[in-house]
Amino acid sequence: MSGPRVSATRRGATAQLLAVGRRASSGGRDPRGTVQALCLVLAAAGAAVLVWGLQVTHAVYEARDARLSARVPVMAAPDDSRDVLLRWSDPGDTWDGRSLSVVNIEPVEPVVPVVPAAPAAPGAPGASGAPLPPGLPRWPQPGEAYVSPALLAAMPEAATRYGVLAGTIAPDGLADPGELFVYRRPPPGVGMGETAGLGAVGFGAPPERAALFHSQTFDRAEGDLHLLMAPFVGLPVMVLLVVASRLGARERDRRLAILHAIGAGRSVRARIAAGECLRPLAAGTVLAAVPLTIPTLTGLRLPLTGYEIAAADLAPVRWWFPLTLVAVWAALCVLFAALHLRIGGGVAEGNRPRPGRERTPAWPGYVCGLGTLCALWGAMIGFQVGVRLFLVGVVLALAGLPPLLGRAAAGIAGRLTGGRRGRGDAARLLGGRWAASRPGVITRTCAALAVLLGLVAQAHVFVTHLSGPAREAAALARHLDGRLLQVTAAPTGEESVGRFLAALDSGDRVLRIRSDASGKGTVLRGSCEDLAALAPLRACPREAADQPPYVFRQRTPLTEALRWMHFGPVSVQATTSPDELLPGNGPFVILPATADGRERVERAAQAHLALPDVGTPGESFTVGGSANARIGDWAVLVAAIGFVLLALTGVTGLLHAFLDRADALRPLAGYTSGVRFHLRVAWWGMGVPTLCAMVLATLFAGVLAAFSVGFLAPTADSPVPVLAGGLAVAVAVCAAATVAGGLLAARFTHRWVPHGD
């Protein structure tokens, strides 16, 4: 019977100790308790967002990989064409700066045009034995196309561009609901044959071969999102928790000292500390869990990026997320208690009073210095390893920076108010000495804003570096304004080429690139009238090919665009008959006569050429730059969460610091009741040190940004304007909090009455 009784007694003691901590944190009507609880609520909410983001990322990538693997073609052996059941190729296309897949599929044997009563299962054979790709109910007939719903909604022209619309692709055939994707079967007379396309025996290859699809060309790995979330969300959560653990440190340290003096061990102090945070952390977890669980049932479209996530992909998160939150809540409580144990470890080991010793911990300097060296080393190495090392270094440097800022700002405040400067100015002397003796308060006050400045600078460099090529490529596209198109295709017979040229508008100018007689160079061929549409001619080169400077009188955007078409040096020669453009292989250069020329050329190419690809010169740079810019959008989306958390942490830290300062100024009610005096004390006690810390943090953030600009992101914009703006915002927040602190101090001092005399 003694065992259960002891266990029950132990549980009763734990409940009592937790209740003691809970009552100690409530603080009656003291607003400082409310501020600390708000910090804990924000820390728990941020941790819930981080866990949700990691779980959603894993679930989405797992579902995408499964669907991608199911539609990747299984290639036949190169030396055995007898097993080939279908031909497969994705020449791709572009729309609005985005790459999309236009998968041409064709069974080796003709398919009987019978529509099944029910959709076929993915990978099930059609009438000829050729397996169906996932997402299609049947094999498309020659000239038919299946289009993804997202492409059809974004580009209505897709209903006719790639052939007769046979229907839309089912969700199980798409990587995600927003994928731009087309399955088409070449029209009659333009089959892929044995030379065009890849011979396949079915579908279901490993997902590593998903790069075959143009729509997946610029996809990033799951680990890249983890690298974004770790510094931009994980670090702010840790800053929130550490700041919350030191709010009200004076009263808490006094309680811990009393508990230690009466013989309470670490376990007792840990349970009391855990009691302080149980309810706020639980409230923050629940407040974040409710709105984050709803998208797992309905699906969601992420803001800024426009990425759409299907509810079916989030099915695992519905169950794992609530269970994981319980573990996260427990881990936060344990970490909060551990931080108190670490803080309380400096209490004297005996009951006899001992003189306090000034002992400044050295770990912040080591961590910050090591992080700075890692960031510099990673930036100099470059590549993926260097980028990861650089991010680790930035996190370490920013983690160790706030204590150093607090000490430096306290030292500067002491110098500004010490000696002759403080004589005759009680407010300056009092505020400066209070700041110099409490660097920890300044550390807690500026920690969030300092980390915020560092992350803002890195995000700015990263985003502008990614979007820079997109801006340059977009400028080139605007300069050409669709006046020159490049059409490439698989080897096609003269009859099909003739039908393609006949389908163009009578005002369209048509040129063609051919190899020269030596086979080492290329020649741009066309009639004299069509060549003159590029630029005024000096003389029409009918006899032999000549270099462009000797053919054209001047350089125009159209002649310069030829250099962007991946042909190398191009000479020019006129043709005597349009029939000379029909035989052989080689891309076409078309100058449309009307504004809608690209759509007309696209339809003509899709209808009469094998595996056509229509684009503008430099379009690959535009697509790649746009893809990088979208990666920047992801960085901004993830970083915005951390920025909001850090900004709220900075505000709450400042508010709590001034409330603490107001409490310390209550005895001054016997000497003065003027608001101006308290405003000046608040200025010298918190305003000046915080301002100094913000200036130092801005300089350090500029150094880290210089590492990335100098080595990793040379095309990024200068972070100086962003840092200047961030410093201005931080100064405005500090100034507003200083005024609020002075007013609160003046208000609270009127309520002070001596007690305990």
Side-chain angles (χ1 to χ4, degrees), residues 232-325:
F232 287 118
V233 182
L235 184 59
V237 169
M238 293 305 301
V239 171
L240 263 170
L241 192 64
V242 173
V243 169
S245 69
R246 290 309 291 160
L247 294 182
R250 183 174 53 188
E251 291 79 5
R252 185 181 300 106
D253 290 345
R254 188 181 297 123
R255 286 197 304 270
L256 293 177
I258 294 174
L259 289 171
H260 182 80
I262 63 177
R266 288 179 175 268
S267 174
V268 173
R269 298 202 303 269
R271 282 177 279 180
I272 292 178
E276 294 186 37
C277 66
L278 284 179
R279 286 186 175 179
L281 289 178
T285 303
V286 173
L287 288 175
V290 172
L292 291 176
T293 304
I294 295 175
T296 64
L297 303 172
T298 62
L300 78 158
R301 184 185 295 273
L302 295 177
L304 191 61
T305 63
Y307 186 81
E308 187 175 354
I309 302 176
D313 293 349
L314 301 180
V317 182
R318 299 170 196 165
W319 309 106
W320 283 109
F321 180 55
L323 296 176
T324 309
L325 283 186

Side-chain angles (χ1 to χ4, degrees), residues 149-248:
L151 179 59
L152 203 57
M155 187 176 67
E157 298 89 348
T160 56
R161 173 182 290 188
Y162 305 105
V164 178
L165 183 63
T168 57
I169 303 173
D172 61 333
L174 301 172
D176 53 71
E179 187 178 19
L180 307 182
F181 202 90
V182 177
Y183 276 118
R184 71 182 295 267
R185 187 173 175 185
V190 197
M192 288 190 283
E194 297 185 2
T195 58
L198 302 172
V201 297
F203 297 93
E208 292 78 12
R209 302 195 63 183
L212 290 170
F213 300 98
H214 279 75
S215 58
Q216 307 298 318
T217 303
F218 299 100
D219 279 7
R220 306 293 293 192
E222 180 181 351
D224 292 341
L225 279 177
H226 294 169
L227 284 176
L228 276 178
M229 294 181 194
F232 287 118
V233 182
L235 184 59
V237 169
M238 293 305 301
V239 171
L240 263 170
L241 192 64
V242 173
V243 169
S245 69
R246 290 309 291 160
L247 294 182

Side-chain angles (χ1 to χ4, degrees), residues 525-527 542 574-580:
R525 306 203 62 188
S527 66
R542 293 186 177 88
T575 59
T576 58
S577 170
D579 294 338
E580 296 182 28

Side-chain angles (χ1 to χ4, degrees), residues 472-549:
E472 297 175 2
L476 172 64
R478 288 193 301 270
H479 200 51
L480 290 176
D481 195 23
R483 291 177 294 168
L484 189 146
L485 299 175
Q486 174 185 356
V487 180
T488 58
T492 308
E494 294 186 23
E495 184 178 350
S496 296
V497 173
R499 289 197 300 267
F500 164 67
L501 297 180
L504 299 177
D505 189 90
S506 59
D508 294 340
R509 304 294 184 178
V510 181
L511 309 169
R512 196 171 190 183
I513 297 290
R514 294 278 183 77
S515 298
D516 60 10
S518 64
K520 299 180 180 180
T522 55
V523 180
L524 176 66
R525 306 203 62 188
S527 66
C528 294
E529 293 78 7
D530 292 344
L531 290 174
L534 295 173
L537 299 177
R538 296 180 183 273
C540 188
R542 293 186 177 88
E543 301 298 330
D546 208 345
Q547 297 300 313

